[in-house]
Amino acid sequence: PGFYGCCSIAGATTGLPTQQGFTNLSLSGFLGLYHSSKYFNDDQLDVIADGGTMILAQDGPDQPLYVRHQLTTDRSAIKFQEYSLTKNVDFAAKFVRNQYKPFLGQWNIVQSTLDELKTSAKGIITFLSETTKLPKIGGVIRSGSLASLTEDTVNIDTVKIRFKFNFPIPLNNIDMTIEA
C-alpha cells in the first residue's frame, strides 16, 4: 500500500541531510510498485504531478523505486514546490529558534544582551553555511546575513531579529546548446 512509500519518504527525511534533494532518489526495501509508472503513461503522470503529488516510480521489475519529482502540494513557485527546499527552510527556522531559546526569560534587554544576540547570529550563519556543507549539495544555506536586530517599540519585552538566508535550489534542468 501507498503508506509504505510515505514511511520511506519520512525515513529518508530524517536520515539524509536537510538540504538533500529527493528527485530521482532511490528507495530500497520494496518488491514492486503498482498504479504508477506501468499503470499511467508519462503525460498522465505529469498531470498528476502538476497537482502537487510526489510520485514514486520504477523503471523495470528489478529496478529500485525512486522519487519521480520531489513535489509538495504548493505549486505556486519553485521555492514552495520543492520538498528539499521547504524542509530546509523549516529546519533552519527551528535551528535558529533553538539557538535563541536560552536567552528567553533569563536575560534582560540591555546592550550586552543585544551584542550577544548579534554574536549568536554570526555563529548561526557560519554553522548553517559552512559546518553543514557537503559535496554536491552544499550547506543548509548558501549564504546569510543578519538583516536587523531591534527592540520592538510596541511589545517592550521583545527583540525583533530578521535574517536573510540564501537557500540552495535543486538543479532540475540543464539548458544545453551544442553548436557545430
Side-chain angles (χ1 to χ4, degrees):
F3 58 80
Y4 287 109
C6 296
C7 293
S8 184
I9 296 295
T13 299
T14 60
L16 294 173
T18 185
Q19 67 271 31
Q20 172 73 51
F22 280 19
T23 298
N24 295 317
L25 177 71
S26 294
L27 303 171
S28 61
F30 295 96
L31 300 176
L33 180 67
Y34 300 103
H35 305 300
S36 182
S37 339
K38 297 175 193 173
Y39 191 79
F40 296 104
N41 65 37
D42 282 340
D43 290 338
Q44 291 169 322
L45 288 171
D46 288 344
V47 169
I48 294 168
D50 197 41
T53 303
M54 187 185 299
I55 298 171
L56 298 182
Q58 185 179 29
D59 290 337
D62 295 329
Q63 299 296 312
L65 272 60
Y66 64 92
V67 177
R68 188 170 183 264
H69 190 166
Q70 61 164 358
L71 295 173
T72 70
T73 55
D74 187 348
R75 302 269 291 135
S76 62
I78 289 174
K79 286 186 174 186
F80 303 127
Q81 77 179 17
E82 296 291 334
Y83 182 61
S84 64
L85 190 52
T86 58
K87 69 184 174 89
N88 204 21
V89 170
D90 288 346
F91 171 82
K94 186 169 185 158
F95 180 82
V96 170
R97 280 193 305 270
N98 283 338
Q99 296 309 302
Y100 284 117
K101 196 173 187 179
F103 292 92
L104 300 177
Q106 300 292 313
W107 297 52
N108 288 329
I109 301 174
V110 295
Q111 190 57 51
S112 60
T113 299
L114 299 175
D115 293 341
E116 192 68 32
L117 293 173
K118 289 176 186 174
T119 300
S120 291
K122 291 177 186 174
I124 288 166
I125 293 166
T126 299
F127 178 82
L128 292 176
S129 62
E130 299 300 323
T131 308
T132 61
K133 192 179 286 186
L134 295 168
K136 300 179 187 174
I137 61 172
V140 171
I141 61 173
R142 293 176 72 179
S143 62
S145 64
L146 177 63
S148 64
L149 191 145
T150 58
E151 294 179 54
D152 191 330
T153 56
V154 176
N155 298 307
I156 61 171
D157 65 344
T158 302
V159 172
K160 292 183 173 186
I161 303 174
R162 200 169 127 248
F163 286 91
K164 282 191 166 187
F165 289 155
N166 179 5
F167 288 95
I169 306 294
L171 173 61
N172 288 330
N173 300 290
I174 297 176
D175 188 356
M176 187 182 315
T177 302
I178 299 175
E179 295 182 12

